[in-house]
């Protein structure tokens, strides 16, 4: 999706490899800067981004944050 030869689906995520790399770096920055609060993925497909966020938190030894997964499971409503 982001690089030549890369498939559209990477690690159960639709954001592509670059998006996952960026997300990992953002989570690392949040932990290193001691920004308070939990993390959340909204509009979840198969959960790849929230799985990555939790894995990064675990790798950094951060046990204080939760990763929230939020989806309607019905898509977006029609506009009115």
């Amino acid at each position: 999706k982001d690089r030549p030869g890369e498939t559209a689906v990477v690690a159960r995520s639709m954001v592509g490899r670059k998006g996952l790399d960026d997300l990992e770096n953002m989570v690392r920055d949040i932990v290193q800067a001691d920004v308070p609060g939990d993390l959340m993925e909204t509009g979840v497909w198969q959960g790849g981004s929230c799985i990555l966020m939790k894995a990064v938190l675990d790798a950094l030894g951060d046990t204080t944050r939760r990763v929230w997964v939020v989806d309607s499971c019905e898509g977006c409503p029609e506009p009115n």
Side-chain angles (χ1 to χ4, degrees):
K1 186 172 180 179
D2 295 309
R3 297 180 181 153
E6 186 173 276
T7 61
V9 177
V10 177
R12 299 196 175 273
S13 177
M14 295 177 78
V15 300
R17 181 60 191 241
K18 183 178 181 327
L20 293 173
D21 290 345
D22 290 344
L23 179 59
E24 177 183 352
N25 290 329
M26 285 185 240
V27 174
R28 288 180 180 279
D29 289 347
I30 288 167
V31 172
Q32 290 169 355
D34 201 25
V35 176
D38 294 340
L39 303 175
M40 178 184 288
E41 179 181 3
T42 59
V44 179
W45 176 56
Q46 290 189 352
S49 293
C50 56
I51 292 167
L52 175 64
M53 288 189 282
K54 178 65 172 131
V56 174
L57 292 175
D58 288 349
L60 297 175
D62 187 324
T63 59
T64 63
R65 299 173 204 271
R66 292 182 178 177
V67 176
W68 295 90
V69 182
V70 181
D71 198 302
S72 70
C73 299
E74 296 180 6
C76 295
E78 292 294 323
N80 53 10

